[in-house]
């Protein structure tokens, strides 16, 4: 569940969001978008949690791979549906991961 | 609940974690750490969600403010307790936020 990412530098896209109450096509589209993202060149993994607030972080090899995914046709449609139906508010932050460290028992 | 951050560049620390079943002192320490972090110079806000996987992102004005917080005495003790008791696994990623955009109804 913690994404296995390579040695930095790499990129992270933090998508923090608050949902509306509209469920129409949401779950299936979210699942399809994660499947499509995983097929994109440069995709490294993702982490996603919701409990009222939703946070989904996707990890990418380069800025180019992030821009390609942002412009992918099905993803553009999902982004539009997101603004029209599924999200009350969201913020997307594009970041360069400079260093990381971890721990596992 | 979505952090109100300034115009980029700024920094994000992504802390992704999986808990043990040990509850001892966890909730009160987590709350105290958020309170202490908010008092640190350079703190800009945070977002936190748990649903099995936990993701807490704190936002900072500079790398210096992140290093100061990492070395803060009470926080060092909490980090040690985290490794010994509360977390099965975690990953911390220090990132520079290069650009962001959002939407709100």
């Amino acid at each position: 569940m913690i994404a296995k990412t390579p040695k930095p530098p790499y990129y992270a896209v933090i998508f923090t969001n608050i949902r509306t109450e509209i469920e129409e096509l949401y779950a299936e589209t979210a699942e399809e978008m994660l499947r499509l993202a995983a097929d994109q060149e440069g995709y490294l993994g993702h982490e996603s949690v919701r409990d009222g607030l939703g946070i989904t972080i996707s990890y990418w090899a380069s800025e180019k791979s992030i821009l390609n995914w942002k412009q992918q046709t099905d993803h553009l449609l999902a982004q539009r549906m997101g603004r029209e139906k599924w999200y009350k508010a969201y913020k997307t932050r594009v970041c360069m991961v400079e260093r990381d460290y971890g721990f596992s028992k």
Side-chain angles (χ1 to χ4, degrees), chain A:
Chain A
M1 293 167 90
I2 299 180
K4 290 190 202 324
T5 40
K7 233 181 84 170
Y10 54 91
Y11 285 82
V13 178
I14 304 171
F15 178 61
T16 308
N17 60 82
I18 298 168
R19 290 266 283 113
T20 61
E21 281 163 21
I22 301 172
E23 292 296 343
E24 186 194 354
L25 291 176
Y26 172 73
E28 45 272 58
T29 309
E31 195 178 319
E32 174 72 359
M33 286 307 113
L34 286 177
R35 201 187 58 72
L36 278 176
D39 279 345
Q40 294 280 307
E41 195 180 326
Y43 171 87
L44 300 175
H46 79 273
E47 295 161 350
S48 190
V49 190
R50 177 178 306 283
D51 178 19
L53 190 69
I55 299 179
T56 296
I57 307 170
S58 55
Y59 298 103
W60 299 89
S62 66
E63 289 225 60
K64 182 75 164 52
S65 57
I66 293 171
L67 291 172
N68 286 345
W69 170 235
K70 190 167 194 283
Q71 299 303 328
Q72 201 272 359
T73 310
D74 294 335
H75 189 203
L76 282 172
L77 180 60
Q79 290 169 57
R80 184 172 155 186
M81 295 273 284
R83 287 187 296 271
E84 287 177 5
K85 291 180 184 287
W86 301 318
Y87 297 115
K88 263 187 216 163
Y90 65 73
K91 184 109 184 177
T92 302
R93 296 177 172 100
V94 178
C95 320
M96 189 180 66
V97 182
E98 298 185 345
R99 54 198 164 84
D100 62 13
Y101 52 92
F103 160 86
S104 183
K105 262 177 190 154

